[in-house]
Amino acid sequence: MLAAIPCNSLGRYIFVAVLCLAGQPQNTFAADGRSPSPIEIAIASERIPTDRVEDAWRKPRDVLSFLEVAPGQRVLDFYAGPGYYSELLSRIVGPAGSVLIYNNELYAQAAHHDLMNRLGRSRLPNAKMLKESSNYLQLEPESLDRVIFVLVYHDLYWQPRESLEPLGDPKKVLAILRAALKPNGIVVVVDHAANETPRQDLTAVANRMHRIDPKAVLADFEQAGFEFVGASDALRNTADDHSLSVFNPSIRHRTDQFIYKFRRP
């Protein structure tokens, strides 16, 4: 075929051929020959370069598989920040599903620039932003299939400087989420582990180290009427003794993290 093309047209032919190939799916099968899952397709899709750097320590395949997220679902990304997980969720649930990117005022201000870049040019058409107070978040009853907290549940106990109270009241927030979830809806919490902490000290630990005692999270959800489904060790790090702030350079992005799954009965 190429021999029949004039020399002055050869470069253009190759260029067009490359463009055609570039438009084809890069990988239609996983390494073992099976069709890739929606989660694998989302992770391999065209994404923001900095997100790909974060994949190494976030392990999104493990987290999202544990969430049991699937096409067609409606998902809430709680305190989504700049939307790393929001984008993956958007791509997984697809056009038949939707993602609510929720930030309160403080999170929205901090994440505004990066989140606007992520949502620009209608990159995630099935995603919608919410910005309300955590304790008064308005959600339609039984409208959600999944909710995810990634490294932010402790912030419900965190009390920013000059604030008269923590960012949220876990009892109020979990009551709102329970009402908004469909029966058998799932919540996954990923957070930095703290050592066992008396309840009256949870805010002090959140303020100082941005960690939370996993037992406190378990108690919060059980009191709110959720069933504990199980835990994943995908982000555990036994070398972390829970004594340092998660922002300490010696442990940043390598903290011991627990992953808990809860279900609304």
Side-chain angles (χ1 to χ4, degrees):
M1 290 290 293
L2 290 180
I5 299 174
C7 292
N8 60 358
S9 301
L10 180 58
R12 182 173 59 186
Y13 175 88
I14 294 174
F15 176 72
V16 171
V18 169
L19 284 181
C20 291
L21 289 172
Q24 302 301 313
Q26 294 184 0
N27 181 23
T28 57
F29 294 95
D32 59 4
R34 62 179 173 79
S35 297
S37 70
I39 292 173
E40 291 169 329
I41 292 171
I43 292 171
S45 65
E46 183 180 350
R47 293 161 59 213
I48 295 172
T50 53
D51 284 3
R52 294 200 176 280
V53 174
E54 295 182 19
D55 288 349
W57 59 269
R58 287 188 180 272
K59 298 187 179 180
R61 180 178 286 102
D62 296 286
V63 172
L64 294 171
S65 296
F66 196 59
L67 181 64
E68 301 178 45
V69 62
Q73 292 178 342
R74 183 172 173 85
V75 186
L76 171 66
D77 189 0
F78 197 100
Y79 288 171
Y84 169 94
Y85 269 104
S86 301
E87 175 157 343
L88 288 171
L89 291 166
S90 170
R91 296 182 185 279
I92 294 165
V93 302
S98 61
V99 175
L100 298 178
I101 304 174
Y102 168 59
N103 287 309
N104 65 1
E105 183 64 34
L106 187 62
Y107 263 86
Q109 290 179 5
H112 178 76
H113 180 267
D114 290 339
L115 187 55
M116 291 302 99
N117 284 341
R118 186 181 300 280
L119 298 178
R121 303 179 302 282
S122 300
R123 290 185 69 250
L124 307 178
N126 61 349
K128 176 185 176 182
M129 289 193 299
L130 294 179
K131 187 177 71 172
E132 298 175 6
S133 168
S134 306
N135 294 342
Y136 303 98
L137 181 58
Q138 297 184 29
L139 300 168
E140 297 178 11
E142 297 189 358
S143 62
L144 299 176
D145 297 287
R146 300 289 185 268
V147 176
I148 189 168
F149 292 80
V150 181
L151 306 179
V152 296
Y153 186 84
H154 67 270
D155 280 341
L156 294 178
Y157 287 94
W158 174 49
Q159 186 169 339
R161 293 178 183 177
E162 301 180 0
S163 175
L164 299 178
E165 58 185 5
L167 284 192
D169 180 333
K171 289 183 179 180
K172 292 181 179 179
V173 169
L174 294 186
I176 291 169
L177 295 181
R178 191 180 187 283
L181 278 162
K182 299 174 183 177
N184 295 314
I186 288 173
V187 182
V188 162
V189 177
V190 182
D191 218 330
H192 308 282
N195 292 323
E196 189 166 351
T197 308
R199 183 153 289 273
Q200 66 269 20
D201 295 335
L202 290 174
T203 290
V205 171
N207 289 350
R208 188 171 70 254
M209 295 191 292
H210 291 271
R211 297 176 180 265
I212 191 166
D213 178 0
K215 292 181 180 178
V217 177
L218 183 62
D220 285 353
F221 274 83
E222 289 183 338
Q223 290 171 11
F226 286 87
E227 294 178 350
F228 177 65
V229 178
S232 168
D233 292 335
L235 293 171
R236 296 302 307 272
N237 177 14
T238 57
D240 175 15
D241 65 4
H242 309 164
S243 65
L244 299 174
S245 164
V246 302
F247 298 112
N248 187 297
S250 67
I251 199 66
R252 185 164 172 77
H253 301 325
R254 295 186 301 278
T255 56
D256 183 26
Q257 297 172 28
F258 62 92
I259 310 175
Y260 281 176
K261 184 190 296 187
F262 302 92
R263 176 177 287 115
R264 180 206 159 167

